[in-house]
Structure formats: structure tokens, C-alpha cells
Amino acid sequence: EGAMQIIKECVRRIYLNQVELSGYVVTKSLTCEPSEYTNPQAHANLVERMRARDPGSAPQVGDRVSYVIVNRGTLMSDSAEDPLEVIDKGLSVDRTYYIENQLRGPVERIFTPPFGEEGVRSIFGGDHTRKTVSKPPPKSSPMAGFFAVQKRCSECRSPCGSAAMCETCVARKGGSDVVGAEQRAQAREAHDAAKLAFDTVYASCQRCQHTTGPVHCFQRDCVQLYERKEKEVKYQRAVQGLRDIEDLA
């Protein structure tokens, strides 16, 4: 029962978009040139695209290729993407692929004998899977023109233009001065949490590199590279968010 609850929590976090990108990274060895593969291979097709972008840094035969499956609406072999590109462009991970192709098979083999098919179905369906969190398509996506990201009140979730809170909730909470102080405190808390997370993983990379200075490691087969870059982006956003709040004060 305890193991089943752990798997359910994992599924819930995937649906809520709470899994770090490093948790989705898959690595495969490039055993020959991409054109020499008989059947389309996700990692081989990715290498061809990476070579078109930057031949100098693209993987070569014998290297391990790290990739993430993203929502592209194309063939699976064309849905693999470089994790650094996913972070830079804000691409959306194909969570259904990971649940159905990476998680379901092993879970069914392990949990069907003791719990039966009904028990396995309860892992992938139930209250813990009803709520999902998705992010809008990146600005570079062809679908981006069909979506308008609308800012919503942090309290009641109603549309509120460019403000962080609607006028009704501002009045209910005691006026703009009180709300402004709360928003600054929340932005500072988010900033400090993001800084701590980034500093922690950066310090780990420094220990790995045996240095107390800047980290210049870009080992693409190390998931910590992607964790470091993702935490860096989140920290930069938190810095900008705090700066925006302070500018409005």
C-alpha cells in the first residue's frame, strides 16, 4: 500500500506539472550516423536538428544523447528535444507520453500480481489525476497566436488586466497599501526560495568541478546540468518579478 501511494503521488505531481525537467530527461547512445538508422529514432532525429543549429556542440557517434519528449503534435520520432532548448524556449513536456510509455508498463508488471488490474487502474485514474496544470504554448509556437495569456487576480482568479489583484479584492483586503506590502513580501519570499534552490544546485556543481568559482560544465549526459539551468531561469524570473513589484511601489 505504501509503494502504491508513492506511485500515485508521482502521477499526481506529473499532472500538476510539479516534476523538474531533469526528471523527464532520457539518454540514448548514438551508435551510428543518424542517416544510417533503419527506422526513425527520436534521438537520431534530434541530433540532425542540433547539428543544423550548432554543428560544433552537437553530439557525435559514440556520444550519449539527452532528450525530452515535448508536445509537438508530430511523429514521436520528431518530438524529442534538447533539454536546454526546452528550458530556453519554454516548451511543454508531453506528460501523457511519460505516463503511458515510461511509467505504466513497469508499474503494471510490478503491481498487477499483488493488487490486480483494478488496483493498477486506481493508480492512473482517480481523484489524484482529475486536476491538471498546463502552461500556454511558447511564443515561438504556431499555436501561440490562438491563445491569449490573461492575467488573473491572485485571490479570486478573475481577470484583472495588468494588475496582480482585482479592485474588489484590493478593497476587501484593506486597500492598495496593504496589498502592496503583501505582494512585496510574497515576491521577496519567492525570490529567496528561488535563490536558495539555484545556489544549492550550483554549489553541488562546484563540488563536482572541484572549484569555488564559476561553473563552466556543459556535460549533456548529466541531468544536473539541466537542473542547474532550470533553477537559473526560475531565479532570473523571480528577480524580475521582485524588481517589477518594487518599481510599482
Side-chain angles (χ1 to χ4, degrees):
E1 287 291 336
M4 182 175 286
Q5 291 304 316
I6 291 174
I7 300 299
K8 284 185 177 180
E9 175 63 14
C10 177
V11 172
R12 186 188 71 85
R13 293 182 67 243
I14 291 175
Y15 277 115
L16 292 179
N17 204 22
Q18 294 177 347
V19 177
E20 299 285 349
L21 183 70
S22 57
Y24 292 112
V25 175
V26 179
T27 63
K28 284 189 177 180
S29 179
L30 187 69
T31 58
C32 60
E33 288 296 333
S35 59
E36 296 176 0
Y37 281 94
T38 305
N39 298 315
Q41 299 289 322
H43 69 301
N45 288 2
L46 172 60
V47 168
E48 289 187 321
R49 295 198 302 274
M50 293 176 69
R51 288 178 177 178
R53 295 172 193 156
D54 185 3
S57 65
Q60 303 299 319
V61 174
D63 292 342
R64 293 195 66 81
V65 182
S66 298
Y67 63 92
V68 174
I69 300 297
V70 299
N71 284 309
R72 272 215 177 99
T74 58
L75 296 174
M76 186 57 62
S77 58
D78 293 326
S79 295
E81 189 51 85
D82 175 16
L84 293 179
E85 188 79 2
V86 174
I87 296 171
D88 183 55
K89 298 291 181 61
L91 301 178
S92 176
V93 174
D94 188 348
R95 292 174 291 179
T96 300
Y97 167 83
Y98 284 93
I99 289 176
E100 296 298 329
N101 296 276
Q102 299 289 324
L103 193 59
R104 184 181 290 274
V107 167
E108 287 180 344
R109 288 194 295 272
I110 294 172
F111 287 91
T112 298
F115 296 105
E117 294 182 0
E118 188 64 30
V120 171
R121 278 197 294 269
S122 72
I123 294 177
F124 296 100
D127 292 340
H128 63 291
T129 66
R130 300 191 193 284
K131 184 178 179 181
T132 63
V133 175
S134 301
K135 59 183 178 180
K139 294 180 180 180
S140 59
S141 168
M143 292 297 294
F146 296 95
F147 292 86
V149 179
Q150 192 174 40
K151 199 164 187 178
R152 292 184 175 273
C153 173
S154 59
E155 292 290 318
C156 67
R157 307 306 299 164
S158 63
C160 59
S162 60
M165 191 178 295
C166 68
E167 294 181 0
T168 301
C169 289
V170 168
R172 178 172 56 81
K173 292 178 73 67
S176 58
D177 290 341
V178 174
V179 170
E182 287 184 359
Q183 289 179 339
R184 285 193 294 275
Q186 291 171 357
R188 171 59 65 181
E189 183 178 350
H191 169 275
D192 292 347
K195 185 177 187 303
L196 176 61
F198 174 61
D199 287 347
T200 299
V201 70
Y202 198 87
S204 178
C205 290
Q206 285 179 316
R207 288 193 295 272
C208 179
Q209 293 291 298
H210 304 288
T211 180
T212 57
V215 174
H216 301 293
C217 174
F218 286 93
Q219 289 288 342
R220 290 180 177 269
D221 59 348
C222 177
V223 295
Q224 195 151 296
L225 165 65
Y226 310 117
E227 186 177 355
R228 186 179 82 235
K229 296 300 291 184
E230 188 174 22
K231 291 289 194 299
E232 181 180 3
V233 169
K234 289 181 178 179
Y235 174 52
Q236 290 172 346
R237 289 173 182 167
V239 170
Q240 186 60 50
L242 179 61
R243 186 177 294 123
D244 292 343
I245 291 293
E246 290 177 340
D247 288 344
L248 293 174

